[in-house]
């Protein structure tokens, strides 16, 4: 394979700016076709983004002879279904997060991947953003010394707009999303923790559903202990009072700390009494760095930037914390 030729299943909101255009802009990559069940919307997307082909049936993408990689950008309830079909054709898969509805589905996906010659990457794009690569450097090079604690807090009021809105607001329909705002936002955060700190030894958590009109978690908290001895305490609150919103991860060490929002642009680094604020501008098409890394992986030039094993660990934690 000298070029990755893409088809997109589900050209909805996330593909408009965050991901879709990047498939045409990275090296050795070409976007050939898009699919959406609504044929008019599929055509509209193709025309606006100058994509040669459009369909309203996923089979047309999966079975197209020129397509060798498929981006699954549908809601989580159909991730497993489409991924299994793509893997049977031995075509590579780039799948949106959360990669499945739950841990059990993640295991089924892993088993199918083992039977295929294809490769699979999860779209946890923050791994390749300069801001979070800098956090990884601070950790790996012990800029703040040995890590002593990790605390993650996300407090959002009912009017907060961190999560992507859609026409049907499917993200608060557990049958489609697997849960609520926790299931939509926490995968980003948990994946970064796994990326930075490695294998997980044990974890425990719980959710409450008070003041929830959608039967999804309003508050979630938990603890993750990594095999390297690092421990993280985390809390998500989606019914916080207005004016008390907070998005912060603070990693403390023997020589200082690094604090930053998971959905922002600034890092506050304190090391040996010196405080430095680092500001990062994310790329317009925010998934582009990860898509480039994924293309390189599919072409055999690099390791998988976000393998299924990490996704499985994340899904297991999400299921435990959601109880």
């Amino acid at each position: 394979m000298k070029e990755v030729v893409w088809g997109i299943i589900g050209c909805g909101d996330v593909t408009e700016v965050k991901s879709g255009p990047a498939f045409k802009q990275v090296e050795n990559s070409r976007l050939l076709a898009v699919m959406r069940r609504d044929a008019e919307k599929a055509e509209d997307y193709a025309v606006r983004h100058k994509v040669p082909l459009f369909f309203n049936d996923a089979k047309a993408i999966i079975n197209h002879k020129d397509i060798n990689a498929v981006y699954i950008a549908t809601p989580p309830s159909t991730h497993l279904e489409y991924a299994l079909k793509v893997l049977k054709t031995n075509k590579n898969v780039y799948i949106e997060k959360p990669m499945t509805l739950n841990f059990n589905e993640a295991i089924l996906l892993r088993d199918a991947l083992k039977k295929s010659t294809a490769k699979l990457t999860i779209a946890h794009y923050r791994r390749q953003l300069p801001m979070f690569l800098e956090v990884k450097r601070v950790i790996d090079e012990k800029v703040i010394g040995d890590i002593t604690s990790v605390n993650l807090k996300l407090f959002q009021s009912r009017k907060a707009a961190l999560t992507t809105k859609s026409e049907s607001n499917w993200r608060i329909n557990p049958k489609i999303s697997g849960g609520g705002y926790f299931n939509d936002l926490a995968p980003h955060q948990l994946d970064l923790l796994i990326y930075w700190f490695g294998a997980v030894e044990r974890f425990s958590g719980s959710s409450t559903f008070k003041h929830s009109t959608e039967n999804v978690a309003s508050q979630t908290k938990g603890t993750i202990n990594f095999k390297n001895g690092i421990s993280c305490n985390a809390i998500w609150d989606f019914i916080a009072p207005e004016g008390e919103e907070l998005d912060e991860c603070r990693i403390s060490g023997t020589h200082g700390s690094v604090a930053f929002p998971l959905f922002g642009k600034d890092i506050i680094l304190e090391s040996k009494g010196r405080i430095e604020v680092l500001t990062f501008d994310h790329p317009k098409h925010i998934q582009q760095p990860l898509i480039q890394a994924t293309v390189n992986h599919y072409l055999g030039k690099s390791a998988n930037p976000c393998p299924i094993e990490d996704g499985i660990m994340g899904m297991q934690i999400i299921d435990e914390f959601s109880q």
Side-chain angles (χ1 to χ4, degrees):
M1 187 190 300
K2 295 183 179 180
E3 180 185 44
V4 178
V5 181
W6 293 95
I8 297 179
I9 296 178
C11 52
D13 297 330
V14 73
T15 67
E16 286 291 343
V17 178
K18 287 185 175 182
S19 60
F23 290 97
K24 300 171 60 178
Q25 297 184 18
V26 303
E27 293 181 358
N28 304 311
S29 175
R30 177 161 56 96
L31 178 57
L32 179 62
V34 295
M35 170 269 169
R36 194 166 180 174
R37 285 178 295 180
D38 187 318
E40 290 186 4
K41 291 182 178 180
E43 180 179 12
D44 174 68
Y45 185 96
V47 170
R48 287 186 293 105
H49 292 277
K50 296 181 173 59
V51 181
L53 305 174
F54 64 91
F55 306 102
N56 67 344
D57 188 342
K59 292 179 182 178
I61 295 284
I62 296 169
N63 297 321
H64 196 287
K65 63 182 180 62
D66 294 328
I67 291 173
N68 54 35
V70 177
Y71 172 32
I72 300 174
T74 59
S77 58
T78 53
H79 284 185
L80 179 64
E81 173 192 349
Y82 287 134
L84 293 180
K85 291 177 179 178
V86 175
L87 290 174
K88 282 185 178 180
T89 69
N90 294 312
K91 295 181 180 182
N92 297 321
V93 175
Y94 181 70
I95 191 167
E96 267 300 332
K97 64 81 203 166
M99 68 176 192
T100 53
L101 271 180
N102 51 53
F103 172 68
N104 290 335
E105 285 194 357
I107 295 300
L108 292 175
L109 184 55
R110 180 199 64 188
D111 293 345
L113 181 61
K114 288 180 178 179
K115 297 176 182 178
S116 175
T117 60
K119 299 176 181 180
L120 183 146
T121 298
I122 307 165
H124 285 298
Y125 58 84
R126 279 175 170 76
R127 286 186 175 214
Q128 292 291 315
L129 294 179
M131 175 176 172
F132 300 109
L133 289 172
E134 174 64 13
V135 174
K136 182 171 174 54
R137 185 193 70 82
V138 167
I139 295 168
D140 293 347
E141 296 182 7
K142 296 192 175 183
V143 175
I144 59 173
D146 294 324
I147 305 302
T148 56
S149 65
V150 181
N151 287 278
L152 189 155
K153 298 177 181 178
L154 183 65
F155 300 160
Q156 293 292 292
S157 69
R158 290 178 177 274
K159 293 185 178 180
L162 270 183
T163 190
T164 303
K165 298 297 188 295
S166 60
E167 293 176 9
S168 60
N169 205 13
W170 56 262
R171 288 172 176 82
I172 55 173
N173 182 343
K175 292 182 179 179
I176 300 176
S177 66
Y181 296 125
F182 172 73
N183 291 64
D184 188 56
L185 297 175
H188 287 298
Q189 301 162 307
L190 296 174
D191 178 72
L192 282 175
L193 294 175
I194 293 168
Y195 178 54
W196 291 327
F197 302 123
V200 174
E201 185 172 62
R202 62 185 183 276
F203 50 89
S204 62
S206 61
S207 290
T208 58
F209 296 78
K210 61 183 179 181
H211 308 302
S212 173
T213 58
E214 303 91 1
N215 195 32
V216 295
S218 52
Q219 296 172 319
T220 298
K221 61 182 179 179
T223 299
I224 305 170
N225 295 293
F226 295 87
K227 288 186 178 180
N228 59 11
I230 294 172
S231 178
C232 173
N233 291 306
I235 182 168
W236 294 262
D237 185 350
F238 298 105
I239 55 172
E242 287 186 54
E244 296 185 16
E245 293 88 351
L246 177 66
D247 171 16
E248 180 186 75
C249 180
R250 178 174 294 275
I251 303 172
S252 300
T254 53
H255 296 156
S257 65
V258 58
F260 49 91
L262 269 296
F263 301 94
K265 297 182 178 182
D266 294 333
I267 291 175
I268 301 175
L269 175 62
E270 182 178 357
S271 179
K272 297 180 180 179
R274 179 185 176 188
I275 297 177
E276 185 178 6
V277 178
L278 306 174
T279 300
F280 296 81
D281 290 324
H282 299 320
K284 177 181 179 181
H285 310 302
I286 202 163
Q287 291 199 27
Q288 186 164 335
L290 182 64
I291 291 170
Q292 181 67 76
T294 299
V295 167
N296 292 343
H297 172 56
Y298 292 170
L299 296 177
K301 298 179 179 180
S302 64
N304 195 334
C306 190
I308 193 169
E309 292 78 12
D310 289 356
I312 289 172
M313 188 72 261
M315 291 308 306
Q316 193 171 7
I317 295 171
I318 288 171
D319 278 10
E320 167 67 21
F321 284 15
S322 297
Q323 296 181 14

